[in-house]
Amino acid sequence: MIITTTWYLVLAAALFSIGVSGVLIRRNALVMFMSIELMLNSVNLTFVAVSKDLGLVEGQVAALFVMVVAAAEVTVGLAIIVAVFRRKASANIDELAELKG
Amino acid sequence: MGELIVFVIFATVALASAVAMVSARNPVYSAIGLLGAMFSIAILYVLLDAHFVAAVQVIVYAGAVMTLFLFVIMLIGVDNPDAYGPAVPAQKVMTWVVSVGLFAAIVLAGRAAWVTGSDAFGTPDLNGTIEKVSDELFGTWTVVFLSTVMLLTIAAVGTIALAYFGTEVADEEATL
Amino acid sequence: MTELLWLLVALPLAGALVNVLFGKKIGEPIAGWIAFGLVVIPWAIALGPTIGFLTGSAVPETIYLFSWIPIVGADVAILWDPLSALLTMIVTGVGALIHLYSIGYMHGDERYARFFAYLNLFIASMLILVLASNYAVMFIGWELVGLSSYLLISFWFTKPSAAAAGKKAFVVNRIGDWGFLVALMIIFASFGTFDFGVIFVSAPSVLTVGTATAITLLLFLGATGKSAQIPLYIWLPDAMEGPTPVSALIHAATMVTAGVFMMARSAVLFELAPVSGAVVATVGGATALLAAVIAVTQMDIKKVLAYSTISQLGYMVMGIGVGAYTAGVFHLTTHAFFKALLFLGAGSVIHGMANQQDMRKMGGLRKFMPITFVTMTVGWLAISGIFPFSGFWSKDEVLAAVFQRGGLWLILWFVGIVAALLTAFYMTRLYVLTFYGEPRWDADVNPKESSWTMTAPLVVLALAATVFGAFNTPARLAFEHFLAPSFALIGESETLSLSLLITLAAFTMLVAIGGIIWSWRTYAGDELPAEDSSFWRRGLDGFGVDDFYGKYIVAPGRTMSQWFSDTADPKGIDGVSHGIAGGVRSAGEGLKTLQSGQVRSYAGGIAVAGVLLIVALVVFGGGF
């Protein structure tokens, strides 16, 4: 069997769904964050797979940018979680409902 | 043929790690699961001839981001601390097998290239080389690239600010 | 010289602006002199071209200024023909004299400069009306004149009656303006433009008799508002609350003549609708008679003159109605002089009598205010129609024109004769009660002659009232020739034989003399007649016309607006807006439950939406 691009895309979709389920299921803020990272990774995989398929290099450039932004986001996000934890001593995301309307 | 085998193996590893990440009780186990997923994805990148992206994936994601995650997990503490000890029986044996096997595989696989030059694996797809990527990155996408530079700087400054304000050090300095 | 004619409007407007902005700093009397100057200069500018018309060397022209609403043919242009020239001279000439008079009369008033600003604004507005070359610009002038009148009537607005009088004038005028506007709409629908030149040339071929009748009747409705005819004359007696110069300028000489002027201008349209002419003349005659009767009963010197104005306007309107346009305009001119003279003289009397306006408290003033006395005598004789003063000539020309129509018009002629009798009667009554007999005023009143700024205009006006009649004797008809170019589109009317004219004139004058003698004998005796029968009491009240309007028009209107403000507005309109607000609020309350603050439910929402979007894209976008 030849590995076509479709295989990679299916794998990426599967990883993405797992990531979504992680975001919805877990209560720990850190694990939620990690699930988001997984989603970003799956998107990166899609980019690179399609870039190989089309013969362009822009897909890989896009993947690089996603990585950069993800890194920045992780930094700031974790800093926020730490700051919140300092106040509430809990990483349970259900307790952070102060924006309730 | 080889490609198929590698793909199947590491796709399975990626999926399994992802599931582990989502379902593990201990956040540290989740982090390890994510790490495994990231390594697998890096290998899949290699399969797709995106060598530079694969390298960056390992360095940035697996190296920096996951380290950061682990640090924070340890800082914040785990929800339900379990007993620390080998949970899987024969863990030590498995570790030895994996490490030695990995070393052997790498030596055997790379031996062809180390001896005869990189042509042994066929000509790589030029599209994934670092030259090509950097041409695009610093050529067409310069502005975006510089914006990401700014973004990283801002993120770093923001993080320091978040970490700094609210500590006793900050309160002391404010009252000075 | 005609290129400078735009200054006629610009200068008084500038004066108004200056006095509004800097009046307090300029102070009296300079503010007054500035205003006076800015009316004299337009008079001088207009003098040359007017004389050109007089000698026959000038022709009517339209001076284009700028384009305003091209789509309706409304450009801002000056129509300079003998009619507008005549009115311009009247407005600026009499206006300048009244400005001069006001410098002395308004001395000490705390809003001195504002008064002159309003006066200048009025002059500018009246000139806009008079010089307009199309109905749209004329309407602008019409409205502005109404505004100036309102501002000036209620100048002493802290007095409730003055404020109410200003409001009444404006509202009643509005009813007339409605008529004017509807007429304008029909004109535009028929002609597609407002320009006089186009309309008057093409009217005979474009308009049916019915349309022309509709237009002219509606125009006349507008004229009844401005020129105080039945049924819209009720504002003029109340307008006497304004300072006397205002009464002289606006409510005697100029603004009230705007209706007559407008009808004279629209002569072509009136010629096409004989029915309107009959209506106009009848209303004019009726007004002349009714107002004269009421004037007999009044005690306030200014109210007598106000009703007298209404009555004389009836004469002018009657002249217009029978198609004697030049006769009507001639009476307008002479009336401007002698009525302004009478009002200013009355103002001089009031001023000298420390603001006393009740004639029962006057008497024997001829010894104390000689100049006023002499000039008022001229005015009295002029309005009564005594040879050779100007009123004689103009009133007789109107009455002759009515007589000439023959048949049923003779009734109107007779009405005019009776009104002339009553005019002589009440004017003599005013004259005698004020200047003759024994003094009847309170001990602390000290009447003396007024300053030169007030008496000089009186003298000038007296001269004009004496001399101007010579302009249009049947032998010379210089006035008709002067105005001929303005009425070129109307056919010549046949003139009566000279002997018949002389007979009619002599008859009218005899009637007037009879009225004078009757009045003199009644009022010049030692004791004043009691004047307390029901006729006198009801007449004093204007025969209840105001009350009638109040009961049947104002009261229902007030009830309706009360209902709107108490019921329709709070429940209906506020209900709708509150209902909308309430609806939005409850919607918000409902949607509030979506904001649980739970991050995971938000994420879940995003995920669900994403799935739905993908499904939608696939199903409607073309499938796998």
Side-chain angles (χ1 to χ4, degrees):
Chain A
M1 280 210 264
I2 308 285
I3 311 287
T4 60
T5 319
T6 316
W7 291 54
Y8 288 101
L9 296 180
V10 169
L11 172 64
L15 286 172
F16 188 86
S17 326
I18 296 174
V20 169
S21 68
V23 167
L24 293 175
I25 292 177
R26 295 301 297 260
R27 262 177 309 136
N28 194 327
L30 286 163
V31 177
M32 271 185 74
F33 218 176
M34 287 195 278
S35 311
I36 295 173
E37 287 305 308
L38 182 62
M39 285 154 66
L40 283 168
N41 269 287
S42 71
V43 168
N44 267 350
L45 186 58
T46 314
F47 266 128
V48 173
V50 173
S51 126
K52 167 87 191 280
D53 189 40
L54 294 176
L56 297 170
V57 79
E58 268 79 3
Q60 297 176 27
V61 173
L64 276 175
F65 283 132
V66 170
M67 262 186 238
V68 168
V69 174
E73 166 214 350
V74 163
T75 318
V76 178
L78 286 177
I80 292 176
I81 291 178
V82 167
V84 166
F85 179 77
R86 261 201 229 123
R87 290 206 178 272
K88 280 180 117 340
S90 157
N92 185 343
I93 208 164
D94 283 343
E95 291 180 23
L96 298 175
E98 286 184 35
L99 284 180
K100 183 170 159 60
Chain B
M1 188 61 191
E3 203 184 323
L4 179 61
I5 295 177
V6 173
F7 177 81
V8 169
I9 294 177
F10 283 100
T12 320
V13 171
L15 283 170
S17 310
V19 172
M21 181 201 87
V22 169
S23 56
R25 288 284 124 219
N26 193 330
V28 179
Y29 290 173
S30 298
I32 301 296
L34 187 59
L35 195 62
M38 284 179 176
F39 268 123
S40 321
I41 292 179
I43 294 175
L44 291 173
Y45 284 158
V46 172
L47 273 181
L48 288 167
D49 288 320
H51 306 288
F52 177 58
V53 177
V56 172
Q57 166 95 350
V58 173
I59 294 172
V60 169
Y61 259 128
V65 170
M66 287 320 300
T67 316
L68 194 56
F69 261 113
L70 283 166
F71 268 124
V72 173
I73 289 173
M74 286 190 273
L75 194 63
I76 288 188
V78 295
D79 270 338
N80 25 346
D82 294 336
Y84 293 105
V88 179
Q91 183 180 344
K92 261 203 175 151
V93 174
M94 243 184 36
T95 313
W96 275 110
V97 168
V98 170
S99 312
V100 169
L102 192 59
F103 176 71
I106 291 173
V107 167
L108 279 173
R111 190 191 47 161
W114 293 335
V115 172
T116 62
S118 63
D119 280 353
F121 288 109
T123 17
D125 187 346
L126 280 176
N127 250 354
T129 56
I130 194 169
E131 285 96 341
K132 202 68 199 300
V133 175
S134 63
D135 272 341
E136 287 297 313
L137 195 59
F138 297 111
T140 319
W141 306 103
T142 311
V143 177
V144 186
F145 170 72
L146 292 172
S147 321
T148 55
V149 168
M150 275 206 305
L151 177 68
L152 282 172
T153 317
I154 295 170
V157 171
T159 312
I160 294 175
L162 274 169
Y164 175 64
F165 291 113
T167 59
E168 295 97 28
V169 185
D171 293 337
E172 269 176 30
E173 294 204 352
T175 56
L176 275 178
Chain C
M1 263 299 249
T2 49
E3 319 82 57
L4 292 177
L5 284 177
W6 62 276
L7 283 173
L8 294 184
V9 173
L11 286 176
L13 267 181
L17 213 61
V18 163
N19 265 325
V20 161
L21 293 174
F22 307 113
K24 277 245 167 62
K25 282 195 220 110
I26 300 177
E28 59 172 285
I30 301 193
W33 286 106
I34 292 177
F36 171 68
L38 288 174
V39 178
V40 170
I41 298 176
W43 177 84
I45 294 177
L47 186 61
T50 310
I51 295 182
F53 281 127
L54 215 56
T55 58
S57 61
V59 288
E61 54 180 299
T62 310
I63 302 153
Y64 178 79
L65 289 177
F66 55 90
S67 170
W68 181 33
I69 314 177
I71 203 169
V72 299
D75 294 331
V76 174
I78 295 179
L79 177 59
W80 183 250
D81 71 349
L83 185 59
S84 52
L86 172 70
L87 265 288
T88 309
M89 296 308 287
I90 295 176
V91 168
T92 49
V94 175
L97 289 172
I98 292 179
H99 275 74
L100 180 61
Y101 182 93
S102 308
I103 295 178
Y105 191 86
M106 298 300 287
H107 168 69
D109 194 291
E110 62 172 32
R111 286 168 71 221
Y112 189 83
R114 188 59 66 90
F115 183 77
F116 282 98
Y118 291 158
L119 273 186
N120 268 13
L121 174 65
F122 170 78
I123 300 281
S125 325
M126 192 72 201
L127 286 173
I128 293 176
L129 198 162
V130 162
L131 294 171
S133 73
N134 58 59
Y135 276 112
V137 176
M138 180 190 255
F139 188 68
I140 297 284
W142 188 271
E143 290 294 319
L144 276 175
V145 162
L147 170 71
S148 314
S149 168
Y150 164 78
L151 288 170
L152 285 164
I153 293 174
S154 52
F155 186 70
W156 290 318
F157 56 79
T158 46
K159 205 163 146 225
S161 53
K167 229 177 10 175
K168 183 174 179 178
F170 200 80
V171 171
V172 173
N173 254 256
R174 230 25 190 147
I175 301 175
D177 294 347
W178 172 86
F180 197 140
L181 264 177
V182 177
L184 287 192
M185 289 182 210
I186 304 180
I187 286 177
F188 188 71
S190 312
F191 293 97
T193 177
F194 287 119
D195 187 72
F196 286 151
V198 174
I199 292 176
F200 295 146
V201 163
S202 60
S205 46
V206 170
L207 290 180
T208 63
V209 173
T211 319
T213 312
I215 294 177
T216 46
L217 281 178
L218 287 165
L219 284 178
F220 179 56
L221 182 60
T224 56
K226 268 289 183 289
S227 296
Q229 299 296 293
I230 295 172
L232 296 176
Y233 67 90
I234 46 172
W235 62 272
L236 192 49
D238 285 46
M240 296 298 113
E241 293 281 343
T244 312
V246 169
S247 309
L249 179 61
I250 300 184
H251 308 125
T254 43
M255 186 188 95
V256 291
T257 57
V260 179
F261 166 77
M262 181 266 287
M263 288 198 290
R265 193 42 111 202
S266 317
V268 173
L269 299 175
F270 278 93
E271 286 291 296
L272 291 171
V275 173
S276 307
V279 170
V280 169
T282 315
V283 170
T287 311
L289 185 59
L290 174 65
V293 171
I294 300 179
V296 171
T297 64
Q298 295 300 309
M299 292 301 176
D300 184 334
I301 193 174
K302 281 178 73 174
K303 286 260 173 34
V304 176
L305 293 175
Y307 281 107
S308 168
T309 307
I310 300 176
S311 179
Q312 297 301 307
L313 285 167
Y315 273 107
M316 294 178 221
V317 168
M318 204 161 65
I320 299 277
V322 297
Y325 301 101
T326 33
V329 174
F330 187 41
H331 197 58
L332 187 159
T333 317
T334 60
H335 175 266
F337 293 136
F338 61 65
K339 195 42 79 57
L341 167 63
L342 286 168
F343 263 111
L344 293 185
S348 174
V349 167
I350 295 171
H351 197 71
M353 295 286 290
N355 291 330
Q356 175 60 260
Q357 293 183 209
D358 192 330
M359 290 191 294
R360 291 171 292 197
K361 291 259 172 82
M362 300 179 188
L365 278 173
R366 69 184 189 281
K367 302 191 196 82
F368 297 87
M369 308 179 78
I371 306 180
T372 310
F373 169 66
V374 170
T375 51
M376 285 287 273
T377 311
V378 172
W380 162 64
L381 289 173
I383 194 175
S384 305
I386 304 297
F387 179 92
F389 295 95
S390 55
F392 166 75
W393 303 102
S394 59
K395 196 180 291 193
D396 281 322
E397 203 176 318
V398 170
L399 287 173
V402 178
F403 186 85
Q404 184 188 347
R405 294 284 286 251
L408 283 174
W409 295 98
L410 289 178
I411 302 177
L412 266 183
W413 174 81
F414 186 69
V415 165
I417 293 287
V418 173
L421 171 69
L422 288 172
T423 307
F425 184 86
Y426 66 67
M427 282 312 295
T428 313
R429 174 174 174 269
L430 182 151
Y431 183 66
V432 168
L433 281 178
T434 311
F435 292 108
Y436 283 87
E438 292 306 311
R440 294 183 295 276
W441 55 75
D442 301 330
D444 53 348
V445 172
N446 207 2
K448 54 181 177 9
E449 190 55 88
S450 310
S451 62
W452 74 272
T453 52
M454 285 171 68
T455 50
L458 290 176
V459 172
V460 174
L461 285 171
L463 278 171
T466 314
V467 162
F468 200 76
F471 241 113
N472 208 35
T473 63
R476 269 190 73 224
L477 286 181
F479 196 77
E480 287 228 15
H481 291 140
F482 172 71
L483 280 181
S486 292
F487 296 108
L489 292 169
I490 305 177
E492 289 273 328
S493 56
E494 46 170 288
T495 47
L496 294 171
S497 72
L498 195 56
S499 58
L500 188 54
L501 281 174
I502 296 180
T503 318
L504 283 173
F507 178 68
T508 320
M509 196 166 96
L510 280 174
V511 166
I513 294 179
I516 294 178
I517 296 177
W518 177 17
S519 179
W520 198 288
R521 293 191 37 195
T522 316
Y523 293 102
D526 286 333
E527 277 216 3
L528 287 184
E531 292 187 352
D532 56 3
S533 70
S534 75
F535 167 75
W536 292 97
R537 271 182 282 112
R538 277 189 303 161
L540 202 56
D541 204 26
F543 291 115
V545 172
D546 271 321
D547 292 332
F548 179 81
Y549 284 161
K551 208 158 66 150
Y552 291 105
I553 297 179
V554 176
R558 185 167 282 136
T559 318
M560 194 172 73
S561 83
Q562 198 74 31
W563 178 80
F564 268 113
S565 101
D566 290 342
T567 317
D569 197 33
K571 297 219 189 89
I573 298 175
D574 284 354
V576 168
S577 73
H578 286 148
I580 293 179
V584 172
R585 187 175 293 128
S586 29
E589 296 269 336
L591 288 173
K592 210 167 63 168
T593 52
L594 278 179
Q595 294 225 308
S596 56
Q598 295 287 343
V599 173
R600 289 198 293 166
S601 57
Y602 295 164
I606 297 174
V608 168
V611 169
L612 284 174
L613 260 177
I614 294 173
V615 170
L617 272 173
V618 163
V619 168
F620 299 112
F624 277 109

